[in-house]
Amino acid sequence: GVQVLPPAEFKAAYDQANNPILLDVRTMSEVQQGAIQKAMVIDFYEDGFKDKLDKLNRDQPVFVYCAAGGRSNKCAKMMKGMGFTDIYDLKGGYGAWAKDQP
């Protein structure tokens, strides 16, 4: 299923997860302004977005984020429909994450 977690809980779940995938679905220009370390970038608006998701391992937990939470929410629902079972969506997106960092 999909769990929507605020930044601190998202980070804690990621740190405890076994071999997680951290997925940034923003555009490259957004990513250049700052991103979470170790994130794989697949632009939500890019052609072939779903094909790229399809290549990911469905057995790994997926932690997805965007700028404010809209695209990641759509992505999480899409992934759930594709058979991914363990999906975490960052509530408030990177904006919330950046504010939450010390």
Side-chain angles (χ1 to χ4, degrees):
V2 178
Q3 293 185 59
V4 181
L5 301 176
E9 289 173 43
F10 184 87
K11 184 179 190 308
Y14 178 78
D15 289 343
Q16 288 164 12
N18 182 24
N19 199 15
I21 296 170
L22 181 59
L23 183 60
D24 184 334
V25 297
R26 298 175 302 157
T27 63
M28 284 320 288
S29 63
E30 287 174 301
V31 171
Q32 282 159 3
Q33 291 164 26
I36 303 175
Q37 273 183 320
K38 297 191 192 131
M40 169 199 301
V41 180
I42 305 179
D43 181 352
F44 186 81
Y45 297 124
E46 198 173 30
D47 287 339
F49 177 72
K50 196 168 181 179
D51 295 336
K52 289 181 181 174
L53 292 183
D54 203 33
K55 293 188 175 82
L56 301 176
N57 185 342
R58 284 162 172 71
D59 297 329
Q60 286 175 263
V62 178
F63 289 78
V64 61
Y65 73 95
C66 62
R71 282 169 283 178
S72 62
N73 185 264
K74 288 177 190 157
C75 175
K77 287 180 177 153
M78 190 186 290
M79 292 183 95
K80 187 180 177 195
M82 292 166 74
F84 289 85
T85 54
D86 212 4
I87 308 159
Y88 301 84
D89 180 8
L90 177 56
K91 185 177 186 179
Y94 186 74
W97 174 273
K99 274 195 205 108
D100 210 53
Q101 298 312 298

